[in-house]
Amino acid sequence: YGQPDLFQRRADHTHEGGLSMYIEYIASTRGGVQKESTVGTPISLEKGKTYLYDMWYFVQEGAIYTYLGIANSNADFEGKNPAILASPRGTWQRYQREFTVPEDYQRDFRIMITSVSARAYIDSVGIYEIIYTDIDEEEPPIEEEIENTITLTYPTEGTIFQRNVLNNASDISLRGVYSGAPERIEARFLGGDWSVIDANPRGGTFIGTLANEPIGQGALEVRFSNDVVANDSVRSVGIGDIYAIVGGTSAFGTSAQLQVQDDSPFVSYIFDDTQTWKKTEDPMIFGGSVGSAWPLLGAQLQNSYQLPVGFIFAATTSQSMTDQWQKNGTAYEQLIEKIGFATDHTQHIAAILWMGSEEEMVRNISSSTLSRAFEQFIVNLRTDTNNPDLPFFIAQTGVVEEPNIREQ
């Protein structure tokens, strides 16, 4: 269900047999797979009996979640929170859960496996009846020791946080999952002092903030306070300036020369349509071979201001300032959404870089109409980003004397 980027049987990673099920949800909204007892191979359950839900999973990125439903795909029938399956990455892991079928059960049992921003394989999924005997009934069950592990799920590699220009610092929000028994979750940025970000982690997840971290770029680390071997890190997180690239086809770049980043103490990143941060290097747009100005601009800004730079690419094709770039227009709403995703919904950015195209000239829109529309665009963006002084920089392609305006 949902709209997966990829959902297929594959042979590159299997737990047993020749194929496993691969799901990828990176650019898409949240979704996953479900197995209903009445669809395909049936799952036969009897009321009052106890069963074991057993599956193997191999997570490459993000996390997957699983729960069990009866006539409902949105909630676990026993009221349990979804099991979070994320760590350790890159190896096959086993998940098991015992459950008892309610006495009023009739039909429509469901296995739900969902994900957000994840790449994972699933294999050897089964439901098995548990038959108890009187042998060793008095002996207490042996509890399996749970390994201490921790995985940082946000921020991801390349994430840039917008600095506060008043103190050249920013808060860093962190989220993740763990197994085991941490007393507290600690974090540090750029090798600084360890700080407690979650004093009471519960339910296999943690969330917290490193406050007022200085501008810079480097490793962000998390760990258990009571088991420092249980740790994880992201190699490149930055605090600097974020610029939203907005406009038309001119912003995509059409140069035959592919640009890479010049020497700089930092690496600039760009947040694109895959909703991930990537190094600002060509080719970036259209998946083709064209070059753009953004790698050079990123390096120049970093060298000039001595801080990391991030870009949010939100330019579009064939969209006019007078309609689609206005509030509720497709281009405008996609811009606001992308700024939200890139900034973890703080909407904090340094400036808007507008590089328009010939769309208004093709539509024969007058300069006065375009001016009024642009003024309203600025008002709307400053309101929706909660920044009444948000700067706008406007670039225009130079005029070329050609008969076809699309060649200018």
Side-chain angles (χ1 to χ4, degrees), residues 22-65:
Y22 177 74
I23 55 176
E24 179 174 312
Y25 280 78
I26 299 297
S28 303
T29 56
R30 178 173 181 160
V33 294
Q34 67 174 339
K35 165 61 181 169
E36 298 184 27
S37 60
T38 57
V39 178
T41 304
I43 303 175
S44 298
L45 302 179
E46 295 184 34
K47 61 182 69 175
K49 288 190 174 182
T50 300
Y51 295 85
L52 176 70
Y53 168 32
D54 189 25
M55 76 171 229
W56 288 81
Y57 62 95
F58 183 108
V59 175
Q60 291 183 313
E61 181 177 345
I64 59 175
Y65 309 78

Side-chain angles (χ1 to χ4, degrees), residues 254-265:
T254 56
S255 171
Q257 178 67 46
L258 299 182
Q259 304 294 343
V260 296
Q261 297 190 40
D262 292 339
D263 291 338
S264 171

Side-chain angles (χ1 to χ4, degrees), residues 75-265:
D76 188 272
F77 81 93
E78 290 184 321
K80 295 180 178 291
N81 291 325
I84 303 171
L85 311 177
S87 178
R89 296 174 181 155
T91 60
W92 281 103
Q93 300 294 314
R94 191 176 197 177
Y95 170 74
Q96 293 181 316
R97 168 184 168 182
E98 291 187 16
F99 64 94
T100 300
V101 180
E103 293 293 343
D104 60 353
Y105 174 74
Q106 295 182 356
R107 61 190 297 272
D108 202 7
F109 174 80
R110 306 180 182 192
I111 299 173
M112 306 297 300
I113 302 173
T114 187
S115 67
V116 178
S117 299
R119 295 184 176 95
Y121 297 81
I122 301 165
D123 203 354
S124 306
V125 180
I127 300 291
Y128 308 97
E129 182 182 353
I130 298 175
I131 301 176
Y132 294 100
T133 66
D134 293 334
I135 300 175
D136 296 331
E137 188 175 36
E138 300 301 323
E139 295 183 7
I142 299 175
E143 294 187 3
E144 182 181 355
E145 184 177 352
I146 301 176
E147 181 185 5
N148 286 339
T149 65
I150 185 170
T151 301
L152 185 61
T153 59
Y154 181 84
T156 57
E157 182 77 15
T159 299
I160 303 291
F161 291 88
Q162 175 60 44
R163 63 174 172 137
N164 184 330
V165 296
L166 298 180
N167 62 359
N168 278 335
S170 173
D171 293 348
I172 298 178
S173 56
L174 302 93
R175 295 189 295 275
V177 296
Y178 68 85
S179 63
E183 293 180 0
R184 295 176 299 277
I185 303 295
E186 299 177 330
R188 67 178 181 179
F189 179 53
L190 299 179
D193 295 334
W194 289 97
S195 300
V196 175
I197 60 165
D198 193 333
N200 187 28
R202 301 176 63 183
T205 64
F206 68 88
I207 185 169
T209 301
L210 283 175
N212 288 321
E213 292 293 328
I215 60 173
Q217 189 173 49
L220 179 66
E221 304 168 81
V222 292
R223 71 180 186 183
F224 283 19
S225 64
N226 55 314
D227 182 2
V228 297
V229 176
N231 64 80
D232 193 22
S233 65
V234 176
R235 291 175 301 173
S236 181
V237 171
I239 295 175
D241 282 339
I242 302 174
Y243 299 88
I245 301 170
V246 186
T249 52
S250 297
F252 287 80
T254 56
S255 171
Q257 178 67 46
L258 299 182
Q259 304 294 343
V260 296
Q261 297 190 40
D262 292 339
D263 291 338
S264 171

Side-chain angles (χ1 to χ4, degrees), residues 274-285:
T274 66
Q275 295 183 9
T276 55
W277 290 94
K278 299 178 180 179
K279 288 184 179 180
T280 313
E281 292 185 347
D282 290 330
M284 295 183 298
I285 314 301

Side-chain angles (χ1 to χ4, degrees), residues 113 180 246 297 322 328 339 345:
I113 302 173
V246 186
L297 179 61
T322 57
N328 298 320
I339 292 175
H345 303 288

